[in-house]
Amino acid sequence: MSNSESRKLAELAKRRGFFLPSNEIYGGAAGFYTYGPEGAALKRHLEDAWRDRFTVKEGNQEIEAPTIMPEAVFEASGHLDTFDDMLVECAECGASHRADHLIEDNTKIEDAEALEITDVEELIREHELVCPACGAALADEPVSDFNLMFETTIGPGSGQSGYMRPETAQGIFVEFPQLAEYARNQLPFGVTQIGPAYRNEISPRRGVIRVREFTQAELELFINPERNGPDLSQVADVELTLYPIENQREEGSEYVEKTVREAVEDGTIASDWVAYYLGIAQGWYERVGVDMDRFRFRQHLPGERAHYASDCWDAESELGGDWVEIAGFAYRGDYDLSKHAEYSGQEFTVFEPYDEPITAERATVDPDMSYLGPEFASKAGEIADALETLAERDRAAFEGETVAVEIEDGAYEIPTEKTGFSVEEVTESGEHITPHVIEPSFGVGRTLYTLVAHAYGEDEVEGEERTYLSLAPEMAPTTVGVFPLMDRDGLGDRAREIAGELREAGLEVAYDDSGNIGRRYRRQDEVGTPFCVTVDYESQENETVTLRERDSTAQIRVPTADLTELLTDFRNGVRSFDEVRGGYEELSESPANPAE
Ligand code: GAP
């Protein structure tokens, strides 16, 4: 990201209360940010819009799980073994760096994360890379794997080892048996969660873009891959900007523009489900105000994929010249459920009934234990189990006088008549399957940063420079600023009454009676408030107010009685200012402040 853009945004974010580094009175700790009043409101609106699209409109269920989980969860999930980044430390100043980022920042290599540690060490030597903090050479420094999870102990004493969850997803997977019950064991079903995740990032950077505590919004969709497909007709014609693996590998190759239908038909996107969610996400990003000319979906290179993912695409937004991942869409297969089943010993399957019951032959044994017991003593049980497995695998083995089985300590011959071998006809009405998982996973902070960066604008209004955020009305922390021209002659009382009525209707309102009107408009423009209402002397004569729109700065005169409905519709996307402005008197100038 260009330094000047990121500096301007960081300055605005802190000064106007979007986000600021935490704990600064004690020197702070890198990678932790506090959302101020504007940022917290924007984040809440973003989460509500995500919930509306990915939980409510998709018919999914939301849960809220604990953020600290016992060690066993992460042994099973693979995070203890593989959730690492490459660390290189400067011997001179002690600064820690992500070795793959150093390579990416200083060479043409774009996916250094996929490289082996030895190759990374070699590249550091070859390119004579130095410590970004102090300039000392890193050529002789070892690169090591650094696990990103925050460890803690649960309870007093030596306690039980636990970890802050590095993704909200695990809180869903571990409860799968119960969640499947709630879904009446009917696939497909989806479970969502919005909440904090923690990663002890080696080098946090770029404000809320890479932090150690952040909010994820994740959907885990559980499917039967043989039976459940998405309703692609809903998104078939949505145009996507895609950056597939082949294009990333070709020097100078650009993105491809394709509809979801085309991308599925020509195999650009391998999974129908992933394609479906890219289509849904595209519409959602447009809705919340991402600039779609600064947005793309990029396919993960094979070495870049997480340990659980078989295909993965990232949503990326362009921020000051860099592409930043803001969401991931992964086909996780049955990796997570199988691992938790294996490690916990619990059932992580769903019974899937066949359309028609199936009648099949099944070979079974019923060994004569009164023979096996005395004959083979402590081996009898093992031999009985081996006979059962053999019957399932190889019926022909039971055709002779004796049956040969192998157990751990050798081979044994059993008279066939003592095995109780038989072939039965069985009718099966269905089977137990381990569902597969499709996972759209969004970073809330990175999306929020994108909205602010893409909405940021500077222009000149009435001869003065202004900074504004053209946030979508649904996202803006405040929907409307209400101002009396002056706080006298009853104008202030009327403006406070109107502000109260709008708040009563559920709108977020900023009341401001200080400074001249132009300055009050600019204060609201800078935090992205899309509308301002001014109560002036004419309001007292005919119960109208001026209504100003932020981006165009156009103003219309509207009856006070219309205000609540208009503003509610604007915020909810039912109507836009442009659609209604023709129906009202348009003003050529801002209301003049008598004090000016
Ligand atoms: N459950 C899948 C998962 O966690 P991920 O790609 O590691 O996938 C998903 O994370 C999203 O979380 C990312 O696309 C990004 O937006 C956000 N994210 C990940 N690490 C982050 C960090 N250190 N700071 C801020 N956001 C982060």
Side-chain angles (χ1 to χ4, degrees):
M1 177 178 322
S2 81
N3 280 340
S4 83
E5 177 178 322
S6 81
R7 255 202 315 274
K8 271 185 190 171
L9 287 184
E11 187 279 321
L12 173 72
K14 184 169 180 182
R15 183 168 49 79
R16 297 308 315 269
F18 281 92
F19 47 84
L20 58 148
S22 309
N23 309 307
E24 282 205 315
I25 59 162
Y26 294 110
F32 296 95
Y33 271 77
T34 295
Y35 288 97
E38 303 293 343
L42 174 55
K43 182 166 177 282
R44 185 162 28 83
H45 295 168
L46 190 56
E47 289 170 4
D48 285 347
W50 191 91
R51 179 175 285 115
D52 173 62
R53 188 64 196 88
F54 290 90
T55 305
V56 179
K57 291 213 164 62
E58 291 295 294
N60 296 322
Q61 302 291 320
E62 181 173 352
I63 68 159
E64 197 175 312
T67 56
I68 296 177
M69 304 175 85
E71 184 169 47
V73 172
F74 301 110
E75 261 166 26
S77 70
H79 284 86
L80 267 185
D81 275 348
T82 56
F83 199 60
D84 301 325
D85 277 342
M86 281 184 256
L87 167 69
V88 60
E89 286 173 297
C90 173
E92 196 66 30
C93 71
S96 305
H97 306 288
R98 257 187 80 165
D100 53 328
H101 284 172
L102 286 183
I103 305 274
E104 286 167 9
D105 292 347
N106 293 288
T107 71
K108 286 196 172 146
I109 298 170
E110 284 184 359
D111 60 330
E113 197 179 350
L115 299 172
E116 296 294 326
I117 281 189
T118 46
D119 296 333
V120 171
E121 287 176 332
E122 184 54 38
L123 283 163
I124 291 178
R125 270 193 295 278
E126 192 181 310
H127 291 271
E128 297 178 354
L129 300 187
V130 295
C131 169
C134 75
L138 294 172
D140 295 329
E141 306 310 331
V143 174
S144 58
D145 276 331
F146 175 76
N147 192 284
L148 296 184
M149 285 195 296
F150 281 103
E151 191 175 3
T152 186
T153 45
I154 302 169
S158 58
Q160 184 190 3
S161 188
Y163 290 86
M164 314 291 287
R165 66 183 183 199
E167 56 172 3
T168 60
Q170 293 304 323
I172 296 176
F173 296 141
V174 295
E175 308 308 346
F176 176 82
Q178 197 57 47
L179 294 169
E181 288 280 314
Y182 299 148
R184 297 189 313 286
N185 285 300
Q186 281 174 4
L187 297 173
F189 71 90
V191 181
T192 62
Q193 183 165 207
I194 302 175
Y198 303 85
R199 296 182 190 176
N200 199 3
E201 296 286 352
I202 292 171
S203 45
R205 54 182 179 177
R206 295 173 169 181
V208 295
I209 295 288
R210 185 174 296 282
V211 276
R212 289 177 165 141
E213 175 174 346
F214 54 97
T215 302
Q216 288 188 319
E218 301 201 295
L219 158 62
E220 310 302 326
L221 183 82
F222 300 100
I223 61 156
N224 177 344
E226 303 295 322
R227 282 192 180 181
N228 306 139
D231 177 7
L232 278 178
S233 68
Q234 278 191 49
V235 290
D237 296 324
V238 174
E239 286 270 352
L240 305 174
T241 303
L242 300 171
Y243 198 26
I245 290 175
E246 307 80 73
N247 295 56
Q248 293 172 55
R249 286 183 171 152
E250 243 174 71
E251 184 84 20
S253 177
E254 277 304 316
Y255 317 126
V256 288
E257 306 281 346
K258 282 184 187 181
T259 62
V260 171
R261 180 190 290 108
E262 288 162 351
V264 167
E265 280 175 4
D266 70 11
T268 307
I269 306 173
S271 153
D272 287 9
W273 277 108
V274 170
Y276 172 78
Y277 284 119
L278 296 194
I280 296 284
Q282 167 95 12
W284 183 78
Y285 282 121
E286 280 174 36
R287 163 178 163 184
V288 299
V290 171
D291 177 352
M292 299 316 278
D293 293 331
R294 300 169 67 184
F295 178 87
R296 69 184 186 188
F297 290 110
R298 187 180 68 81
Q299 189 174 23
H300 273 206
L301 297 167
E304 207 184 340
R305 277 181 217 139
H307 56 277
Y308 47 72
S310 57
D311 188 21
C312 190
W313 289 76
D314 282 344
E316 295 187 332
S317 73
E318 186 269 314
L319 296 170
D322 289 341
W323 287 101
V324 174
E325 173 199 340
I326 57 175
F329 300 80
Y331 191 97
R332 293 178 79 128
D334 65 358
Y335 176 88
D336 302 277
L337 298 190
S338 297
K339 285 284 174 195
H340 285 303
E342 181 189 336
Y343 279 71
S344 67
Q346 307 283 316
E347 222 18 78
F348 276 68
T349 58
V350 167
F351 184 75
E352 285 277 89
Y354 297 135
D355 294 338
E356 297 279 325
I358 293 174
T359 303
E361 284 187 340
R362 196 174 65 198
T364 58
V365 289
D366 182 14
D368 180 352
M369 296 311 283
S370 66
Y371 166 78
L372 292 188
E375 192 72 15
F376 301 108
S378 63
K379 308 284 173 219
E382 230 182 306
I383 289 173
D385 288 346
L387 284 169
E388 196 177 321
T389 313
L390 186 65
E392 283 164 14
R393 233 186 34 229
D394 179 14
R395 289 180 203 179
F398 293 81
E399 280 169 5
E401 295 281 299
T402 60
V403 183
V405 283
E406 278 199 33
I407 61 169
E408 197 145 334
D409 75 342
Y412 294 84
E413 293 274 329
I414 321 293
T416 308
E417 61 177 8
K418 303 290 183 195
T419 65
F421 176 78
S422 66
V423 176
E424 300 166 353
E425 277 218 330
V426 286
T427 301
E428 281 165 0
S429 57
E431 62 182 331
H432 284 92
I433 65 139
T434 304
H436 284 207
V437 173
I438 323 295
E439 180 196 63
S441 167
F442 290 65
V444 175
R446 289 188 186 181
T447 312
L448 181 150
Y449 190 96
T450 299
L451 296 192
V452 175
H454 288 191
Y456 185 91
E458 291 170 357
D459 63 2
E460 208 182 278
V461 174
E462 293 172 359
E464 280 198 48
E465 278 183 10
R466 78 162 176 162
T467 300
Y468 64 98
L469 295 181
S470 61
L471 295 170
E474 186 189 2
M475 290 299 110
T478 302
T479 310
V480 58
V482 176
F483 318 144
L485 195 55
M486 320 244 341
D487 190 7
R488 72 172 190 227
D489 303 331
L491 297 181
D493 292 338
R494 183 67 189 118
R496 276 186 286 273
E497 250 171 46
I498 291 173
E501 284 162 20
L502 295 174
R503 286 186 183 125
E504 201 53 42
L507 292 161
E508 281 158 291
V509 179
Y511 175 84
D512 187 357
D513 59 15
S514 66
N516 70 37
I517 286 287
R519 207 163 299 142
R520 283 184 250 168
Y521 283 149
R522 282 192 293 282
R523 273 204 288 270
Q524 293 305 320
D525 290 344
E526 207 177 31
V527 293
T529 305
F531 307 104
C532 288
V533 162
T534 303
V535 177
D536 56 14
Y537 286 103
E538 200 180 324
S539 308
Q540 293 179 322
E541 289 160 23
N542 59 11
E543 267 303 312
T544 61
V545 289
T546 68
L547 176 62
R548 173 199 186 253
E549 195 271 337
R550 175 197 60 211
D551 298 350
S552 59
T553 72
Q555 298 190 53
I556 52 178
R557 197 138 202 116
V558 301
T560 318
D562 291 1
L563 259 189
T564 303
E565 196 183 334
L566 279 176
L567 289 166
T568 306
D569 283 358
F570 296 162
R571 185 200 54 190
N572 296 346
V574 177
R575 290 186 286 172
S576 70
F577 182 84
D578 276 347
E579 279 165 9
V580 305
R581 67 194 275 188
Y584 295 96
E585 179 198 351
E586 187 131 353
L587 307 175
S588 51
E589 288 179 356
S590 300
N593 192 325
E596 286 179 326

